[in-house]
Amino acid sequence: MTTSSCSYCHPENEFVLWRDEQCRVLLVEQTDFTGWCRVVWNQHLAELSDLDEQQRHRMMQVVAEVEHNIRELMAPKKINLASLGTGLPHLHWHIIPRNEDDSHFPEPVWCQPLRPGVVRPLAKNFVDEMKKRLSAAL
């Protein structure tokens, strides 16, 4: 894959919660896992080991801050945290809040669903609070 065909290098309709020159935090919409966020490295690199030590630290700092704030704002039972080796070789991490009544719990979201699940509405203040908290912390 080249950068010209990468959807993270040429995004369309991203819901950006925060960004800087190195990475950005996106809210994943149209999913059964409300509050799912993604941290995307802005430069087209495939793996965490492609970053230098300072860049790796920054990436993981952002991932941890997103996770922390999702836990505070949503109080999920668990978080799925993953950088899945998908067909899109562009470094990104998923931060996915999980609850006992979702379709996959206790299995990860990338497994087969176990039952019909409850899809929780996103709290009205979630987006504004995430933007405010991430801007203050990062």
Side-chain angles (χ1 to χ4, degrees), residues 9-24:
C9 290
H10 304 283
E12 294 182 17
N13 303 317
E14 285 185 328
F15 195 127
V16 179
L17 296 172
W18 174 88
R19 76 176 322 126
D20 71 4
E21 65 283 346
Q22 293 182 310
C23 59
R24 62 194 184 271

Side-chain angles (χ1 to χ4, degrees), residues 14-99:
E14 285 185 328
F15 195 127
V16 179
L17 296 172
W18 174 88
R19 76 176 322 126
D20 71 4
E21 65 283 346
Q22 293 182 310
C23 59
R24 62 194 184 271
V25 176
L26 310 176
L27 178 64
V28 178
E29 299 179 284
Q30 300 175 342
T31 176
D32 289 345
F33 302 95
T34 306
W36 182 328
C37 290
R38 189 175 290 134
V39 177
V40 178
W41 192 254
N42 291 330
Q43 185 181 3
H44 188 82
L45 298 171
E47 305 297 345
L48 190 63
S49 60
D50 291 334
L51 304 178
D52 65 31
E53 184 177 349
Q54 184 179 15
Q55 291 170 322
R56 284 192 304 271
H57 175 74
R58 180 60 170 172
M59 180 70 159
M60 297 316 296
Q61 176 190 25
V62 174
V63 169
E65 192 62 35
V66 172
E67 180 194 69
H68 170 76
N69 284 292
I70 287 174
R71 290 182 72 201
E72 282 195 351
L73 293 170
M74 297 183 69
K77 179 73 173 178
K78 182 72 179 120
I79 296 274
N80 281 161
L81 180 63
S83 180
L84 302 170
T86 63
L88 186 57
H90 189 122
L91 180 58
H92 64 283
W93 282 81
H94 302 272
I95 304 96
I96 310 163
R98 302 296 308 287
N99 291 289

